[in-house]
């Protein structure tokens, strides 16, 4: 097992979220927004999708050095580079490398080359792929084979989903001692309380699609291969982790700054307030992209000056990713800080705070017991709202070469390297399509979920049903 | 009111000083001129003389803050801080690491940036407001429901997608306008159509949704109910009461971004190879020309602070309560 900084941090964040959930999950003031969130249909559907993405990202964060790290035939692993649990699971698509571009579901390469014809002279033609459709004698019969696999995969997915629903119904009927048919009815309908049907349909769809994809990718490159012949589906799935790390860690790494400075500035006012306001206005006034560019240049210089500390590609890529999160956080914490300051200014004049002060509670006590808990909804809303923007920003930054390391799998890097191929004839569209599709799914569900969280937590949205 | 505005303007100076010191720390202290020289000359096989020569050519050989070897004011003036950073306050940007005059480059490249940014802003504003008003007019119907969903979906698409798709469609099929490039004078128009269009479309989702929420906030206020109660038509209420009041936050928001328009858009300009300040910055980042990046950081911050001051002034003009301060 090997833990890089981002891995450790992501598990730390998840662990503390879980702890907070267990600790505060039973309190009435959190149960009410939770109930509202779970009755929000788009938010719950997005949550299912986000959980799937999160699971893939987490699997990809448990990394270790393979026991026999010698590169087997066709494998991309260089000796000494760690692989993740996800890599092990996706060994098929990880090791099925071709020579160069091939279209989705293709059986032949995208480019022509000189092929031997047995006589010795050779001719120009499209070579068969090493893995894509190689199990077929006659490559033109692919459609039939693909359809068969799709049907089988869907059937397996449906079966598993059905079993899961059934076991959930049995569990619930045992727990609440009701009849099982009633539970199944409840689970298969969108009642007023919980949109069970939507959640289950989404889950079933994901299971079916996932199973089909797994079955298909044994024999085909579902999303084609890229310039060096690597499977695009594998790249897109690996990029999930990068997107999640940037989206989650960025705000959470700098959350302490925003919290402490915002509260202190709002609570103590006076010269402390002036100073903190000055700091965040100054930071805010530097254009974000330029600050990031400058900091990334600095990191590059630092890493090349201390080359001995960053000996492997993985360590370098990970350090750069972490640093990108820090810098992105530095440019984005100011907004949250301002919101927290304003809210603290309001809270400190509340009757219950004045009562606590009159009863002789000290400043630390008031801050921890009365101010901080009342700020958490702002923090949650802001963190979820920022998430999608950060995932999108990664792609743009990677395009200007100031994003993640070029060796890291990320949608931005995929777009960047595939962009120039749009001019070719026929068009190499699949790497771009894959990157944009995955990014769109993640960002859309993050946006919808963030809307749900905001509706559930923000008092301003709780008056009417909008 | 005058005192308030003067105070806000004076507040801008410490901010500028802070930005200046921060960029100085980032570019000269954390990242020394030696590092810069090595980066430019190549990491390995570089002699000490070559580094010294590189630094002397660009004036980086002086001490950072305090020159002990000089006489009188030379203690302070013959330093990197004085020659490289203090001049920024007077918008003297000096020379780039490749020897060009940054100030004249900026003056020249400002206009293409503005030629894209201003039409994008105006068209985007019109399109966003139109859509937002439509959504509010049809509120709590399917039009609004699907409008919001389309907006969220459009927000979730990467800006790069719009640019790549737009270039591809226009370049491959329509062939109406050139994909990229720039020209002087009126000839530039045909190069500007596509970037402006894509700029408007990519901002549509977020913009229309934001303006819709601003309008909805107004719609629920008491004066709107009064207007309806006295028998005005819904169109009349929307346009002459709600929209007018909602324009206050919209326009004061616009004022804040006006100065930043000079900086141009990094992505759009580099995709369409328009010789504006955005592509200038990107080129500098890719060439690792620290002098240009430093100047652009300062210029961007100065313009942002100008935007802050202008917003404050706009608020005093719009909101009578602030005039009392």
């Amino acid at each position: 097992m090997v833990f890089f900084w981002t891995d450790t941090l992501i598990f730390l964040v998840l662990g503390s979220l879980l702890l907070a959930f267990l600790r505060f999950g039973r309190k009435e003031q959190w149960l009410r927004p939770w109930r509202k969130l779970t009755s929000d249909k788009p938010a719950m559907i997005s949550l299912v999708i986000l959980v799937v993405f999160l699971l893939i990202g987490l699997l990809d964060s448990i990394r270790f050095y393979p026991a026999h790290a010698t590169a087997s035939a066709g494998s991309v692993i260089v000796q000494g580079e760690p692989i993740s649990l996800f890599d092990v699971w996706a060994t098929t698509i990880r090791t099925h490398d071709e020579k160069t571009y091939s279209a989705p579901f293709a059986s032949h390469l995208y480019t022509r080359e000189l092929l031997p014809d047995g006589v010795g002279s050779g001719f120009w033609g499209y070579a068969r792929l090493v893995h894509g459709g190689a199990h077929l004698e006659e490559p033109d019969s692919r459609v039939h084979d693909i359809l068969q696999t799709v049907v089988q995969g869907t059937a397996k997915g449906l079966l598993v989903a059905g079993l899961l629903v059934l076991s959930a119904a049995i569990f619930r009927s045992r727990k609440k001692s009701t009849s099982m048919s009633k539970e199944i009815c409840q689970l298969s309908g969108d009642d007023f309380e919980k949109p069970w049907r939507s959640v289950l349909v989404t889950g079933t769809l994901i299971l079916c699609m996932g199973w089909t994809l797994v079955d298909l990718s044994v024999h085909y490159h579902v999303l084609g291969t890229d310039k060096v012949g690597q499977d695009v589906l594998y790249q897109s799935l690996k990029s999930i982790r990068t997107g999640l790390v940037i989206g989650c860690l960025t705000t959470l790494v700098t959350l302490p700054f925003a919290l402490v400075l915002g509260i202190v500035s709002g609570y103590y006012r006076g010269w402390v307030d002036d100073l903190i306001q000055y700091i965040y206005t100054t930071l805010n006034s530097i254009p974000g992209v330029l600050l990031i560019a400058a900091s990334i240049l600095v990191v590059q210089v630092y890493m090349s000056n201390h080359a001995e500390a960053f000996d492997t590609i993985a360590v370098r890529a990970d350090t750069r990713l972490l640093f990108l999160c820090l810098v992105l956080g530095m440019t984005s914490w100011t907004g949250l800080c301002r919101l927290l300051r304003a809210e603290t200014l309001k809270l400190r004049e509340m009757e219950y705070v004045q009562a606590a002060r009159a009863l002789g509670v000290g400043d630390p006590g008031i801050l921890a017991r009365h101010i901080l808990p009342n700020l958490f909804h702002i923090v949650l809303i802001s963190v979820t709202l920022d998430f999608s923007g950060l995932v999108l920003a990664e792609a743009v930054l990677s395009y200007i070469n100031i994003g993640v390391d070029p060796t890291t799998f990320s949608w931005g890097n995929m777009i960047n390297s595939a962009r120039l191929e749009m001019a070719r004839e026929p068009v190499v569209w699949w790497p771009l399509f894959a990157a944009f599709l995955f990014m769109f799914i993640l960002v859309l569900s993050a946006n919808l979920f963030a809307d749900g969280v905001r509706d559930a937590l923000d008092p301003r949205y709780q008056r009417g049903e909008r | 009111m005058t005192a308030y505005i003067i105070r806000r303007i004076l507040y801008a100076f410490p901010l500028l000083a802070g930005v200046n010191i921060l960029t100085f720390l980032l570019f000269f202290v954390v990242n020394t001129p030696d590092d810069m020289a090595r980066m430019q000359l190549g990491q390995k096989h570089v002699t000490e003389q070559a580094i010294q020569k590189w630094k002397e050519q660009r004036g980086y050989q002086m001490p950072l803050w305090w020159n002990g070897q000089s006489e009188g004011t030379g203690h302070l003036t013959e330093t990197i801080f004085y020659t490289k950073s203090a001049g920024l306050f007077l918008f003297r940007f000096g020379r780039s690491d490749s020897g060009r005059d940054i100030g004249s480059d900026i003056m020249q490249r400002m206009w293409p940036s503005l030629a894209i940014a201003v039409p994008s802003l105006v068209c985007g504003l019109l399109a966003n407001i139109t859509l937002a008003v439509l959504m509010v007019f049809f509120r709590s119907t399917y039009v609004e429901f699907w409008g919001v969903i389309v907006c969220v979906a459009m927000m979730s698409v990467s800006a790069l997608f719009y640019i790549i798709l737009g270039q591809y469609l226009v370049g491959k099929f329509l062939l109406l306008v050139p994909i990229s490039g720039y020209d002087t004078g009126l000839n530039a128009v045909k190069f500007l159509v596509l970037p402006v269009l894509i700029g408007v479309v990519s901002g549509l989702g977020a913009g229309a949704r934001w303006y819709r929420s601003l309008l909805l906030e107004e719609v629920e206020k008491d004066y709107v109910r009064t207007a309806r109660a006295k028998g005005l038509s819904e169109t009349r209420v929307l346009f002459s009461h709600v929209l007018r009041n909602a324009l206050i936050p919209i326009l004061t928001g616009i004022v804040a971004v006006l100065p930043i328009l000079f900086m141009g858009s990094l992505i759009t300009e580099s995709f369409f190879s328009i010789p504006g300040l955005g592509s200038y910055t990107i080129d500098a980042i890719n060439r690792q020309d620290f002098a240009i990046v430093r100047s652009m950081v300062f210029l961007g911050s100065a313009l942002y602070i100008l935007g802050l001051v202008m917003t404050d002034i706009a608020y005093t003009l719009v909101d009578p309560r602030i005039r009392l301060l």
Side-chain angles (χ1 to χ4, degrees), chain A residues 278 289 301 305 399 427 447 451, chain B residues 14 35 39 156 209 266 270:
Chain A
Y278 171 73
V289 182
V301 170
N305 284 350
Y399 166 72
V427 187
N447 271 334
D451 278 1
Chain B
D35 295 332
M39 231 165 155
S156 309
R209 208 168 84 110
L266 296 178
S270 86

Side-chain angles (χ1 to χ4, degrees), chain B:
Chain B
M1 181 173 101
T2 332
Y4 173 75
I5 292 176
I6 290 174
R7 208 163 62 229
R8 298 306 300 177
I9 292 173
L10 286 180
Y11 185 56
F13 288 99
L15 285 178
L16 275 178
V19 170
N20 199 336
I21 290 169
L22 201 69
T23 46
F24 182 77
L25 287 177
L26 205 59
F27 283 101
F28 288 110
V29 180
V30 182
N31 197 9
T32 60
D34 280 36
D35 295 332
M36 280 189 264
R38 260 190 222 109
M39 231 165 155
Q40 291 286 331
L41 300 171
Q43 216 43 246
K44 285 161 191 153
H45 316 299
V46 58
T47 58
E48 198 57 34
Q49 284 106 327
I51 292 180
Q52 282 306 326
K53 190 160 160 252
W54 188 91
K55 277 161 66 182
E56 258 164 49
Q57 276 170 351
R58 289 159 184 80
Y60 292 145
Q61 82 284 11
M62 288 177 277
L64 288 177
W65 308 92
W66 182 259
N67 195 340
Q69 291 161 355
S70 316
E71 297 295 313
T73 54
H75 280 313
L76 286 175
T77 53
E78 284 174 28
T79 57
I80 293 183
F81 183 73
Y82 185 81
T83 52
K84 298 289 172 192
S85 254
L88 290 177
F89 281 118
L90 302 168
F91 295 102
R92 275 196 217 120
F93 296 109
R95 297 198 166 271
S96 72
D97 288 346
S98 53
R100 289 174 61 89
D101 184 30
I102 300 179
S104 71
D105 270 355
I106 290 178
M107 288 305 284
Q108 192 192 349
R109 283 169 164 265
M110 198 169 81
W111 303 111
S113 284
L114 277 181
I116 289 208
V118 172
S120 303
L121 181 78
V122 174
C123 299
L125 192 63
L126 287 178
N128 291 345
I129 292 182
T130 315
L131 273 185
V133 170
L134 269 179
M135 279 195 283
V136 172
F137 188 76
F138 291 107
R139 64 183 173 281
S140 46
T141 63
Y142 274 103
V143 177
E144 195 209 15
F145 179 75
W146 285 105
V148 173
I149 287 195
V150 169
C151 279
V152 176
M154 281 180 80
M155 272 168 69
S156 309
V157 178
S158 171
L160 296 173
F161 178 77
Y162 291 114
I163 297 178
I164 292 176
L165 189 73
Q167 274 192 333
Y168 179 72
L169 288 181
V170 168
K172 278 273 152 125
F173 299 116
L174 301 172
L175 302 170
L176 292 176
V177 287
I179 300 181
S180 68
Y182 197 69
D183 206 347
T184 47
L186 274 180
N187 291 331
V189 171
K190 66 172 188 280
F191 290 100
L192 292 179
V193 174
L194 189 59
V196 168
L197 187 71
I198 288 173
V200 170
V201 171
S202 60
L204 207 56
R209 208 168 84 110
W210 169 236
Y211 291 161
R212 166 185 161 269
S213 69
L214 286 180
L215 284 169
L216 277 181
E217 220 160 86
E218 287 299 317
V219 162
E220 290 185 355
K221 287 192 174 156
D222 289 341
Y223 73 89
V224 181
R225 196 178 311 136
T226 314
R228 264 192 222 115
K230 75 182 181 191
L232 290 186
S233 68
E234 187 62 28
T235 339
R236 190 80 194 281
V237 169
L238 209 56
F239 280 94
S240 60
H241 291 267
V242 175
L243 185 58
R244 266 193 180 184
N245 280 298
L247 273 179
I248 293 173
I250 292 176
L251 289 182
T252 37
I254 295 289
V255 168
V257 299
L258 277 183
I260 292 286
L261 290 183
F262 280 96
M263 299 292 289
S265 155
L266 296 178
I267 308 297
T268 315
E269 285 183 16
S270 86
F271 259 101
F272 293 96
S273 45
I274 285 156
L277 283 181
S279 56
Y280 188 56
T281 316
I282 288 212
D283 291 346
I285 292 171
N286 286 336
R287 279 207 316 270
Q288 305 183 327
D289 193 324
F290 287 77
I292 297 179
V293 177
R294 205 173 58 237
S295 312
M296 295 313 286
V297 168
F298 187 79
L299 185 65
S301 316
L303 291 172
Y304 177 87
I305 293 168
L306 181 66
L308 284 185
V309 173
M310 279 165 61
T311 317
D312 283 335
I313 296 174
Y315 266 116
T316 56
L317 296 179
V318 170
D319 190 343
R321 280 170 298 183
I322 299 177
R323 282 182 219 164
L324 299 174
L325 287 171

Side-chain angles (χ1 to χ4, degrees), chain A residues 399-410:
Chain A
Y399 166 72
I400 328 178
N401 288 328
I402 53 172
V404 294
D405 194 81
T407 59
T408 312
F409 289 103
S410 89

